[in-house]
């Protein structure tokens, strides 16, 4: 695609550049506009190579493969709402959306994770499928949002929760820093929660998916909560390949 979330092609590349740089994947001293332009094609080529290495059998429970598969199964012309933190970054990296004609929304604002489900429900589009891609912590911050369901019967939507059981983005962004702390949980906030009973409480259909290959089970329910359980071990292994490619 030549655009993403209303940004120009170059803006999208710069966003990916800054994403890699923040993770320590690109060690480039000159952070000027000119230098960003110089590495545009480099980043795009290496990301293309990484996408080829995402093999279903090896990384069937990894976050990148889940995102890649989701982009494949979501119908054309759907409205996609990307939550902050990891989902919007992973979508920018791994989703293949050519000829899909998606429309995008996001609640970037202060870049926080609170109120995302409410923002999504308040931004539903009638006549198309609406998809929210959100992390587990962001979902936990806005559990009361579904109280509005009685007012939303005419809308078709899916809430896809990528459950990696904590704020795993910090295990990537702050990997070196975390090794210096005795209490890593202060950043990762691990938990063993699932969202089945949350969906039950609000009488909305629920589906648990334990592997990307099972995402085809997402049926055409009018409204559905999809909980995708990921393997941090597989995700970390794939990000390790990412690091090798971008050295």
């Amino acid at each position: 695609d030549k655009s993403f979330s209303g940004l120009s092609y170059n803006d999208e590349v710069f966003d990916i550049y800054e994403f890699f740089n923040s993770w320590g994947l690109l060690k480039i001293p000159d952070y000027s506009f000119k230098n960003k332009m110089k590495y545009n094609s480099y980043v795009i080529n290496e990301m293309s190579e990484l996408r080829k290495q995402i093999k279903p059998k090896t990384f069937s429970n990894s976050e990148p493969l889940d995102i890649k598969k989701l982009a494949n199964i979501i119908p054309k012309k759907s409205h996609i709402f990307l939550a902050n933190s990891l989902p919007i970054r992973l979508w920018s990296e791994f989703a293949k959306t050519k000829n899909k004609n998606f429309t995008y929304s996001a609640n970037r604002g202060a870049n926080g994770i609170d109120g995302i489900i409410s923002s999504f429900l308040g931004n539903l589009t009638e006549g198309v499928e609406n998809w929210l891609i959100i992390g587990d912590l962001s979902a936990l911050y806005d559990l009361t949002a579904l109280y509005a369901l009685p007012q939303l019967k005419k809308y078709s939507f899916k809430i896809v929760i990528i459950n990696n059981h904590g704020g795993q983005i910090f295990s990537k962004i702050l990997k070196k820093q975390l090794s210096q702390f005795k209490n890593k949980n202060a950043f990762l906030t691990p938990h063993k929660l699932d969202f089945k009973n949350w969906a039950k409480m609000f009488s909305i259909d629920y589906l648990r998916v334990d592997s990307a290959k099972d995402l085809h089970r997402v049926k055409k329910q009018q409204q559905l909560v999809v909980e995708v359980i990921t393997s941090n071990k597989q995700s970390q292994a794939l990000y390790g390949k990412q690091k090798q490619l971008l050295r």
Side-chain angles (χ1 to χ4, degrees):
D1 285 350
K2 292 298 182 183
S3 64
F4 172 75
S5 299
L7 299 179
S8 70
Y9 181 66
N10 279 337
D11 286 335
E12 179 184 351
V13 173
F14 292 170
D15 183 62
I16 295 173
Y17 176 99
E18 292 180 15
F19 173 56
F20 288 149
N21 196 62
S22 68
W23 279 16
L25 299 179
L26 292 175
K27 298 297 185 182
I28 303 170
D30 179 10
Y31 200 58
S32 64
F33 177 88
K34 181 178 179 180
N35 205 44
K36 286 182 182 180
M37 290 293 292
K38 178 181 177 182
Y39 283 89
N40 277 4
S41 59
Y42 169 73
V43 172
I44 292 172
N45 290 338
E46 296 304 330
M47 279 309 306
S48 177
E49 180 62 30
L50 182 61
R51 288 191 185 102
K52 294 177 184 177
Q53 294 190 28
I54 304 177
K55 305 298 182 182
K57 290 184 178 180
T58 308
F59 301 108
S60 62
N61 292 87
S62 68
E63 295 156 351
L65 189 60
D66 289 330
I67 292 296
K68 184 179 179 181
K69 184 69 173 180
L70 276 170
N72 288 339
I73 68 167
I74 294 176
K76 292 181 179 180
K77 298 183 179 180
S78 292
H79 171 219
I80 298 175
F81 196 109
L82 296 168
N84 292 333
S85 195
L86 203 53
I88 196 167
R89 290 171 168 87
L90 290 177
W91 187 274
S92 185
E93 289 181 88
F94 297 104
K96 284 188 173 182
T97 59
K98 188 176 182 179
N99 299 322
K100 291 288 233 172
N101 296 319
F102 293 144
T103 58
Y104 294 94
S105 296
N107 184 7
R108 295 301 281 164
N111 206 20
I113 63 171
D114 52 320
I116 298 295
I117 300 176
S118 297
S119 295
F120 168 66
L121 296 179
N123 199 34
L124 295 175
T125 302
E126 190 174 358
V128 301
E129 288 201 24
N130 298 271
W131 292 70
L132 169 63
I133 316 297
I134 188 171
D136 49 295
L137 288 188
S138 295
L140 289 171
Y141 265 71
D142 201 15
L143 292 177
T144 59
L146 293 185
Y147 83 94
L149 284 182
Q151 305 174 48
L152 305 172
K153 293 180 180 179
K154 66 180 180 180
Y155 296 102
S156 173
F157 67 82
K158 310 288 191 296
I159 298 175
V160 181
I161 302 172
I162 307 295
N163 190 350
N164 57 25
H165 298 100
Q168 295 301 329
I169 189 172
F170 292 111
S171 66
K172 304 172 184 67
I173 293 177
L174 302 175
K175 190 168 185 178
K176 291 183 178 180
Q177 292 90 329
L178 283 176
S179 63
Q180 302 172 15
F181 290 93
K182 292 182 179 180
N183 184 16
K184 298 180 182 179
N185 292 345
F187 290 92
L188 302 181
T189 56
H191 65 84
K192 297 181 180 180
L193 301 172
D194 64 55
F195 293 85
K196 182 178 181 178
N197 287 327
W198 174 63
K200 183 179 179 180
M201 181 172 72
F202 289 101
S203 301
I204 184 172
D205 289 335
Y206 168 88
L207 174 67
R208 173 177 167 136
V209 175
D210 291 288
S211 175
K213 63 182 177 62
D214 294 327
L215 279 167
H216 70 277
R217 292 167 52 205
V218 177
K219 305 298 182 182
K220 293 185 178 180
Q221 288 100 325
Q222 177 76 357
Q223 300 175 352
L224 177 68
V225 170
V226 182
E227 182 172 11
V228 182
I229 307 299
T230 67
S231 165
N232 290 322
K233 183 177 180 180
Q234 289 187 17
S235 296
Q236 292 290 347
L238 189 51
Y239 295 135
K241 284 182 173 290
Q242 185 182 60
K243 203 168 202 176
Q244 292 173 8
L245 283 169
L246 293 171
R247 278 176 180 170

